[in-house]
Amino acid sequence: MTCLPPHTDKKLGLVIDLDTCVGCHACVTACKGWNDQGYGAPLSDQTPYGVEASGTFLNRVHSYAVQPDDLPAQTINFPRSCLHCEDAPCVTVCPTGASYKRAEDGIVLVNEEACIGCGLCAWACPYGAREMDLAAGVMKKCTLCVDRIYNEELPEEDRQPACVRTCPTGARHFGDLGDPESAVSRLVAEREGYALMPEMGTKPVNRYLPPRSKDRPEEASLLAPLLDIKAAGLAGWLDRVLGKLP
Amino acid sequence: MNPAPSVIVFTVLSGMGFGFLALLGLFGVQGWLGFFFWGTGFGLAVAGLVASTFHLGNPQRALRAFTQWRTSWLSREGWAAVITLGLLAPQALSDWLGLGWGRGFGIAGAVGCGVTVVCTGMIYAQLKTVPRWHHWTTPAVFLAFALAGGLILSGVRGLAVIALCLLGVLMAVQWFGGAGRFARAGVTMESATGLGRIGRVAVFEQPHTGGNYLMREMIFTVGRRHAERVRMIAMVSGGLLPVVALVFVPGVAGIGLAAVTHLLGAFAHRWLFFAEAEHVVGLYYGRR
């Protein structure tokens, strides 16, 4: 049913630490690998070794250059995937009921048996979380590895999303953001985690932890006085003469 | 947004068809001429609806789209279209064979035609993610196209000219208001990434070297390059030329000329409607 549940018992989601993400794309690869073999239609590629290589991915890592007013620019790696919104517009627009949000844990899923591949849910999502699989003709999205997190066949440490399990820098955290005492909720409170595009009114569950503020360069270098190089010789003479001109 | 031919054909043809059917439902045309008129109306509406299924990845499951009318405008559109066509069928039969069943079915069907066209418009107008569409002018222009197209096909010259003028005004309002709506929605790369708290955001490197579904579907820049030209074509061919044809060319030729030019203008309008609309997801790619 594409009516959203008025309340979910849990709000399972991800917390992504932009301070520690190094942009290695291991989460992208792990996600593609896991979702190629289990839940629903495999994530297909079209001409993967051709000129116009293209494929379905549920996770993409962007890199941004962010320029503060008075400091050098920073490079920030930015993984982007489904935010499992509380007010998910992708669910309500679905004409067939294929797109749904689970009342028990808040995960947004697609029932591929009912998906007609109209693409309207992908249009309704501000975050680009959904990609149509061109081979299967159905909409694919992050399942929060619903086939891992409850899977008792797996060792306990593997019962988390593939992207979280694989992240070599621990930049991805998984848990219940509806429980204020959970590890992820405490992390968000501590680091002032934020939601993406709040003006879209989707109430995302996932949170992003902002990069920690960098040291200010003038405070950073103890060698600063020695780095004030004085020009000598002809350059020094030019420096002095030119400096005197109006 | 990617201007998919199937969706353009769907909105243009079924819009015109439902506009024509609404007028036939209200006023009726008897006998074999009625058969021809009703056939044209049903033909246009159904051709549009069939075209829309070519857009689907799994059209064999299309019947499932009737289940979610509580929340989904696409589902409501499906219901409205089917109910409307069902209501108008006995009216068409009565008009064609002179059975004298009154106009009850026709009037109800005419209301249904309006509801269907509004539902079509709302499929697009509901999307906050496409600020240009997220506005009352979207269903209003769809309705104006249906009305103008229906009146031209009905051959009611005076009213058709008035409807075409109304359409012209609404298209202009849609374009002028739509131009800055993305900026007014307040969505930026800074809010999309939340990195505005640090500084100005620019793309350093794209997440993938090839294209993907999102970029093909939602980042379409060719439309904006030619927007002014296509606007002119839509306005002249969709509004001005049909008025000239209706006023100055007598007989069936005038009606036919008006209908053909109007239809071409409608296709131009609809192509641009999709092609120049910017989706907020483009912000993540530093493009729109």
Side-chain angles (χ1 to χ4, degrees):
Chain A
M1 279 296 137
T2 56
C3 294
L4 287 163
H7 166 82
T8 60
D9 300 334
K10 286 182 177 178
K11 293 177 189 170
L12 295 187
L14 300 173
V15 172
I16 293 167
D17 190 344
L18 299 178
D19 195 61
T20 41
C21 176
V22 294
C24 69
H25 291 247
C27 51
V28 179
T29 316
C31 169
K32 179 95 168 178
W34 180 261
N35 287 292
D36 252 355
Q37 57 192 348
Y39 186 93
L43 300 175
S44 71
D45 290 316
Q46 281 70 44
T47 64
Y49 304 104
V51 180
E52 299 272 317
S54 173
T56 317
F57 288 79
L58 310 182
N59 185 14
R60 305 274 188 181
V61 180
H62 295 254
S63 297
Y64 296 109
V66 184
Q67 178 67 64
D69 284 336
D70 52 350
L71 290 170
Q74 298 176 32
T75 312
I76 295 168
N77 302 297
F78 186 94
R80 174 177 58 79
S81 60
C82 175
L83 309 173
H84 297 279
C85 301
E86 286 181 61
D87 204 346
C90 56
V91 170
T92 50
V93 299
C94 175
T96 68
S99 199
Y100 64 106
K101 185 172 175 69
R102 307 213 305 182
E104 62 268 35
D105 54 16
I107 301 179
V108 176
L109 290 173
V110 175
N111 170 11
E112 293 176 8
E113 299 296 306
C115 176
I116 54 173
C118 70
L120 193 56
C121 56
W123 286 15
C125 172
Y127 309 106
R130 291 170 169 246
E131 296 189 18
M132 178 99 75
D133 189 89
L134 292 188
V138 295
M139 197 54 74
K140 301 296 295 185
K141 69 174 296 300
C142 162
T143 65
L144 220 51
C145 283
V146 70
D147 50 345
R148 286 175 70 98
I149 57 176
Y150 296 115
N151 190 340
E152 294 187 354
E153 302 298 315
L154 295 176
E156 179 123 26
E157 64 269 25
D158 283 335
R159 289 180 214 159
Q160 44 184 333
C163 58
V164 175
R165 184 75 182 98
T166 204
C167 180
T169 63
R172 303 178 72 96
H173 307 268
F174 163 70
D176 180 8
L177 286 141
D179 171 10
E181 292 309 310
S182 69
V184 281
S185 294
R186 288 206 305 273
L187 196 55
V188 169
E190 216 170 277
R191 295 274 306 280
E192 294 176 9
Y194 62 86
L196 305 183
M197 276 198 262
E199 63 273 21
M200 282 281 135
T202 53
K203 292 197 246 161
V205 167
N206 285 14
R207 288 289 181 272
Y208 283 75
L209 306 180
R212 292 179 173 91
S213 57
K214 299 289 181 266
D215 292 338
R216 300 184 75 87
E218 59 269 30
E219 294 162 8
S221 178
L222 294 171
L223 299 172
L226 300 174
L227 294 173
D228 185 16
I229 296 162
K230 298 277 188 284
L234 179 60
W237 177 78
L238 273 173
D239 187 28
R240 284 193 302 280
V241 171
L242 290 172
K244 282 177 189 159
L245 290 176
Chain B
M1 306 295 285
N2 173 32
S6 55
V7 182
I8 294 175
V9 170
F10 155 56
T11 58
V12 169
L13 292 191
S14 72
M16 197 180 207
F18 280 113
F20 191 31
L21 286 174
L23 294 165
L24 291 174
L26 288 177
F27 304 107
V29 178
Q30 310 295 318
W32 282 100
L33 184 65
F35 177 81
F36 174 70
F37 273 29
W38 279 106
T40 306
F42 274 102
L44 285 169
V46 173
L49 293 171
V50 170
S52 76
T53 64
F54 290 117
H55 183 63
L56 303 180
N58 278 287
Q60 76 279 8
R61 302 177 190 144
L63 280 181
R64 286 182 183 266
F66 288 99
T67 59
Q68 303 302 317
W69 49 271
R70 284 184 203 81
T71 63
S72 168
W73 281 105
L74 183 48
S75 187
R76 288 172 196 158
E77 201 266 350
W79 273 110
V82 168
I83 291 173
T84 300
L85 294 175
L87 280 170
L88 289 173
Q91 191 68 65
L93 203 65
S94 160
D95 285 0
W96 169 34
L97 301 173
L99 302 176
W101 290 351
R103 302 236 60 84
F105 285 115
I107 292 165
V111 174
C113 289
V115 172
T116 308
V117 173
V118 169
C119 285
T120 310
M122 284 308 294
I123 294 172
Y124 306 104
Q126 70 177 329
L127 298 172
K128 269 191 190 173
T129 48
V130 186
R132 193 182 279 274
W133 292 348
H134 190 55
H135 197 251
W136 63 265
T137 46
T138 300
V141 167
F142 276 46
L143 264 181
F145 261 108
L147 186 66
L151 283 166
I152 291 172
L153 291 180
S154 311
V156 192
R157 287 171 191 256
L159 287 176
V161 168
I162 294 171
L164 285 164
C165 294
L166 177 72
L167 171 65
V169 171
L170 280 172
M171 278 199 287
V173 171
Q174 181 181 46
W175 290 330
F176 282 113
R181 204 167 291 130
F182 196 102
R184 288 198 296 278
V187 218
T188 59
M189 280 180 83
E190 283 73 22
S191 76
T193 59
L195 297 173
R197 66 197 65 217
I198 300 173
R200 275 172 293 118
V201 181
V203 170
F204 179 67
E205 196 175 24
Q206 295 291 12
H208 38 93
T209 50
N212 72 348
Y213 172 76
L214 299 172
M215 299 179 83
R216 287 190 294 269
E217 192 76 1
M218 295 170 218
I219 304 175
F220 189 86
T221 50
V222 184
R224 268 161 270 153
R225 202 181 303 156
H226 305 294
E228 288 304 324
R229 290 186 197 102
V230 183
R231 256 178 224 145
M232 195 56 81
I233 293 170
M235 194 58 103
V236 171
S237 180
L240 196 62
L241 288 180
V243 168
V244 172
L246 289 171
V247 173
F248 295 106
V249 185
V252 184
I255 309 288
L257 208 57
V260 170
T261 52
H262 175 74
L263 200 58
L264 288 176
F267 277 116
H269 169 272
R270 214 49 51 80
W271 185 84
L272 188 67
F273 175 76
F274 288 100
E276 77 169 337
E278 308 105 324
H279 194 287
V280 297
V281 78
L283 292 169
Y284 287 105
Y285 288 90
R287 298 163 62 182
R288 271 156 51 177

